[in-house]
Amino acid sequence: MDVLTQYAWIVWLVLILAFATIEVFTLEMTFLMLALGSVAGLLSGLFGIPWWAQFIIAAVVAVLLILLLRPPLLRVLRRGGDPTRSNIDALIGAEGRVVRTLSSVGGQVKLQNGDVWTARLSPITEQADVAVGEQVLVTGIDGATAVVVPVERSTPQ
């Protein structure tokens, strides 16, 4: 046990390095808090505290940091995020026109961004087919297929 107490600082350095490396790849701040807890364990070891107490100190500091520091830190980091929707999120709610007759089995639509997508009618629609030229609205993406519903036309009064 004396060897464990004597060389515990090496274990703490390895843990700090491992947690910091994992944090670089995950960017979720959890492993950063674990690394900081390990720093607390290392510092307590430098003051001659037994190895089992070093472990308890590291665990308590890491849990406190995860519970108290991580949430506000994540809010601050995500505050400046780009609010623009992209990829599939940008397609939900997009309008388009039918270019090949559309049914629950399939068809094609040209979206407002110019992309032509394989499409099928959403199961929530009661319509059997949608003719070429009709407008549709994208309600979801299933793989490489746009799930759409026909856009209802308002009648002039």
Side-chain angles (χ1 to χ4, degrees):
M1 280 299 184
D2 191 35
V3 172
L4 182 61
T5 304
Q6 186 177 2
Y7 294 107
W9 64 274
I10 296 173
V11 174
W12 290 118
L13 285 178
V14 168
L15 284 174
I16 293 167
L17 254 162
F19 289 145
T21 303
I22 294 170
E23 180 60 39
V24 167
F25 292 108
T26 62
L27 300 175
E28 281 295 318
M29 299 298 165
T30 304
F31 286 98
L32 177 62
M33 302 305 137
L34 293 174
L36 292 174
S38 297
V39 168
L42 173 66
L43 291 175
S44 64
L46 295 178
F47 287 109
I49 296 177
W51 67 270
W52 55 270
Q54 294 174 31
F55 177 77
I56 292 172
I57 290 170
V60 167
V61 168
V63 168
L64 286 174
L65 288 172
I66 288 172
L67 294 177
L68 301 176
L69 183 62
R70 182 177 177 264
L73 186 60
L74 286 175
R75 273 194 301 278
V76 168
L77 289 174
R78 292 186 177 140
R79 185 179 322 151
D82 186 9
T84 307
R85 297 185 310 162
S86 62
N87 300 329
I88 291 175
D89 293 332
L91 295 176
I92 307 297
E95 289 190 9
R97 290 210 178 271
V98 176
V99 291
R100 189 180 320 152
T101 303
L102 190 60
S103 68
S104 60
V105 178
Q108 281 189 331
V109 295
K110 184 173 186 175
L111 300 180
Q112 64 192 15
N113 65 3
D115 291 343
V116 176
W117 276 71
T118 302
R120 72 170 185 271
L121 283 174
S122 173
I124 64 169
T125 187
E126 297 172 6
Q127 200 166 346
D129 290 334
V130 180
V132 174
E134 294 286 324
Q135 282 194 320
V136 292
L137 183 71
V138 178
T139 59
I141 301 293
D142 183 19
T145 303
V147 180
V148 299
V149 294
V151 173
E152 294 184 24
R153 296 184 193 157
S154 60
T155 56
Q157 297 176 351

